[in-house]
Amino acid sequence: MSTHRLPPFPGPTTTPTTTPTGVRAGRSVSALICALAVGAATACAPSEGAVAPSQAAAVAPASPGAGASRSTTGAPGIGDPDFPSDGNGGYDVQHYDLRLSYDPSSRKLAGSATIEAKAAQDLTSFDLDLHGLTVSRVTVDGGAASFSRGKDELVIEPGKRISNGDRFAVTVDYSGVPEPMRDSANLGQYGFISTADGAFVTCEPNGAKTWFPSNDHPSDKATYDFQITVPEGLTAIANGEMAGTPQTRAGKTTFVWQEKHPMASYLATMTTGKFQIRTGTSDKGLPIYVAVADSFRGSLGQLLTQTGKITDYWSTVFGPYPFSSTGGVIDDYAAGYALENQTKPIYGGFSPEPAIIAHELAHQWFGDSLSIARWRDLWLNEGFATYAEWLWAEHTGQYTADSAFKRYYANATDSMWAYPPGAARADDLFSAAVYNRGAMTLHALRREIGDDKFFPLIRAWTDAHRYGNVTTQDFIALAERVSGKDLKGLFDAWLFQPKRPAPIT
Ligand code: TRP
Ligand code: ZN
């Protein structure tokens, strides 16, 4: 076992955290960062400059230029420059309807996924992302479709032509033993991870495809219905709220969950196992659902209380809570990290300190409601969630954001100075630089424009892009508009230069 979070003070951890990949954490940063990023060799990143391509460029499918004959093949990637085969081009998903059953003893997942989408071009074929698993049948609008498999791609040829603007529904029947993703972006294992009594399902950045066919990229958000059947006695936990009481028949129980707000695929979960459940309501009236594995039963009440309290507090700082319920799950799978699954962050094998809960719940605004359009902008998630830890410490009187900033700044040889967080690297995506230097960027901004502009800016940010996709350029533009200042130099130094910025004043 391990400690899971240490505050920026007073110093290095004495109980190193070990992740499934064996990465050892020995720094005084939060365990989620330790688990994911520390220990990864942080090579010097060349500067990528301050010029970030527009969101349109980031999500544009690779289509032929003007004059070329217009392809009716949906691109195999959605256009993320650093993850070229993630997501797909040619359509936009509106809704996923996932009807799945999971048997922990055989580790077999079976079921069908219906994807409702709108064509963004004429389509004679298009892809879904799917890793492993066996597809038995595909239909498009009820008619049989032919399909083939490529690496993590399911290529579908509908029996009829789909025209630009058409809405269509694809149903994929499939089964098999899900295999998690490994060793991508320095993460160890992620995706659908089977456990002794169920599954621990944490999919950032591109592990949704380990359990359902999807447009597996945060630039295509959709609503979700889940109908998950598991052996009686187990609980299946997905996003959003439960619809009705779980129904048990012939030794199996079916749980129906609905996420009615747009969600990025990596935030979807179907975590399964033996859980103790508690529900409640926050002081502000928000429904709360918490679940903990039996071995964490002692943390159930505290998780409920803290989750309600912190969600309510963030709604006063960041703006209205974007979803219909809040919650959290502690599984006994010792991942050592947490993930901000929409409405229900999950803590992998540890009882989270309030600072970690504060981090994951801040992500409900930064990452979940406002989602990045391409992974290189990840600081918009992790820098904000880390800064939220500092704000939480400030709120609870532990330390100030200013002192955290100063402490990091004081270390002139920290490897984060070589890693500009405005260009998160595919091979070291969850770097400590993205978290800590990202948070420092926000603090430098706060000091430059003052609290009376900074906090309204944050609320304007969550309001303007609620449920949408965002880029770093969007944030810089809004910061300049709200503050009335030219902030290009500040953001360039903090986000895009491979060296320690000049001290803030
Ligand atoms: N976003 C998570 C956090 O900072 C960290 C994370 C990244 C993660 N990828 C993951 C956690 C995959 C679990 C699985 O809170
Ligand atoms: Zn985070």
Side-chain angles (χ1 to χ4, degrees):
M1 284 310 304
S2 50
T3 80
H4 296 282
R5 188 191 180 270
L6 290 155
F9 308 110
T13 171
T14 48
T15 315
T17 299
T18 304
T19 67
T21 40
V23 173
R24 290 182 75 76
R27 295 195 195 167
S28 55
V29 290
S30 34
L32 45 155
I33 302 166
C34 293
L36 289 160
V38 178
T42 314
C44 284
S47 169
E48 299 198 27
V51 183
S54 71
Q55 177 168 348
V59 297
S63 57
S69 72
R70 203 161 171 79
S71 170
T72 58
T73 303
I78 205 165
D80 189 319
D82 306 300
F83 292 83
S85 61
D86 283 11
N88 306 285
Y91 63 89
D92 183 55
V93 178
Q94 253 80 69
H95 184 74
Y96 292 91
D97 188 357
L98 307 177
R99 299 176 183 216
L100 300 170
S101 77
Y102 185 62
D103 175 36
S105 60
S106 64
R107 300 186 159 191
K108 205 169 159 187
L109 179 71
S112 89
T114 297
I115 295 114
E116 293 168 25
K118 187 175 174 196
Q121 63 176 75
D122 293 352
L123 287 172
T124 50
S125 89
F126 61 91
D127 287 13
L128 287 165
D129 299 311
L130 186 64
H131 177 77
L133 302 165
T134 302
V135 174
S136 52
R137 194 171 83 114
V138 177
T139 63
V140 175
D141 289 336
S146 55
F147 60 91
S148 58
R149 301 295 300 272
K151 188 186 178 295
D152 288 2
E153 302 282 343
L154 170 62
V155 183
I156 296 169
E157 281 185 51
K160 57 162 206 181
R161 188 188 174 101
I162 296 170
S163 300
N164 189 7
D166 284 357
R167 288 176 185 275
F168 60 100
V170 195
T171 298
V172 179
D173 295 347
Y174 63 103
S175 64
V177 175
E179 285 217 16
M181 305 293 292
R182 283 170 214 273
D183 295 326
S184 160
N186 262 339
L187 281 169
Q189 280 197 86
Y190 62 97
F192 189 107
I193 299 169
S194 60
T195 62
D197 62 353
F200 176 81
V201 183
T202 51
C203 299
E204 190 179 19
N206 52 15
K209 65 184 172 196
T210 66
W211 62 284
F212 64 99
S214 48
N215 199 17
D216 196 5
H217 190 276
S219 59
D220 188 1
K221 300 168 71 164
T223 54
Y224 285 71
D225 279 324
F226 304 86
Q227 189 180 297
I228 304 164
T229 301
V230 293
E232 185 175 2
L234 302 186
T235 302
I237 303 162
N239 311 87
E241 295 79 47
M242 216 181 318
T245 322
Q247 299 294 314
T248 300
R249 242 186 44 217
K252 288 177 187 291
T253 307
T254 300
F255 294 80
V256 178
W257 290 92
Q258 299 180 314
E259 176 49 70
K260 295 174 181 164
H261 301 285
M263 178 165 74
S265 52
Y266 76 87
L267 299 168
T269 188
M270 58 161 288
T271 293
T272 303
K274 272 191 129 219
F275 285 101
Q276 308 275 323
I277 313 293
R278 197 170 289 178
T279 58
T281 309
S282 77
D283 289 344
K284 286 176 170 263
L286 192 65
I288 314 169
Y289 177 102
V290 292
V292 304
D294 283 342
S295 48
F296 291 94
R297 64 170 69 235
S299 300
L300 185 59
Q302 209 191 331
L303 182 63
L304 182 87
T305 314
Q306 296 284 359
T307 295
K309 203 172 98 176
I310 295 170
T311 306
D312 280 355
Y313 177 65
W314 285 151
S315 74
T316 71
V317 179
F318 303 145
Y321 182 70
F323 308 123
S324 309
S325 63
T326 186
V329 177
I330 308 177
D331 203 351
D332 55 7
Y333 174 76
Y337 51 62
L339 183 65
E340 62 266 23
N341 288 337
Q342 190 156 311
T343 69
K344 280 177 206 66
I346 185 164
Y347 308 95
F350 63 97
S351 181
E353 288 183 27
I356 296 243
I357 300 174
H359 178 114
E360 304 309 331
L361 290 175
H363 272 308
Q364 301 304 306
W365 284 259
F366 311 109
D368 295 13
S369 175
L370 278 67
S371 302
I372 53 180
R374 47 179 191 189
W375 287 107
R376 93 175 39 171
D377 290 342
L378 185 66
W379 83 279
L380 291 172
N381 296 2
E382 300 305 346
F384 279 63
T386 302
Y387 197 60
E389 292 183 50
W390 302 2
L391 292 176
W392 180 255
E394 219 165 74
H395 172 63
T396 54
Q398 297 168 76
Y399 59 86
T400 63
D402 213 51
S403 62
F405 176 96
K406 285 196 175 108
R407 187 169 185 271
Y408 281 114
Y409 190 82
N411 183 358
T413 60
D414 193 304
S415 60
M416 73 176 152
W417 304 127
Y419 187 133
R425 291 163 29 188
D427 64 351
D428 190 12
L429 199 55
F430 297 92
S431 163
V434 174
Y435 286 70
N436 300 331
R437 194 169 155 186
M440 294 177 82
T441 303
L442 289 171
H443 192 68
L445 173 66
R446 178 179 168 191
R447 289 281 300 267
E448 176 67 25
I449 68 178
D451 285 11
D452 58 330
K453 295 279 196 244
F454 180 79
F455 289 101
L457 163 64
I458 299 303
R459 284 190 287 271
W461 176 239
T462 63
D463 183 57
H465 300 285
R466 178 179 265 240
Y467 310 133
N469 285 106
V470 289
T471 65
T472 297
Q473 291 312 311
D474 295 333
F475 184 68
I476 295 173
L478 188 66
E480 291 191 324
R481 189 139 60 78
V482 169
S483 68
K485 283 190 157 184
D486 180 347
L487 299 166
K488 284 172 203 69
L490 181 149
F491 283 111
D492 182 54
W494 280 95
L495 294 176
F496 298 109
Q497 295 305 320
K499 60 171 195 273
R500 186 168 71 145
I504 60 171
T505 45

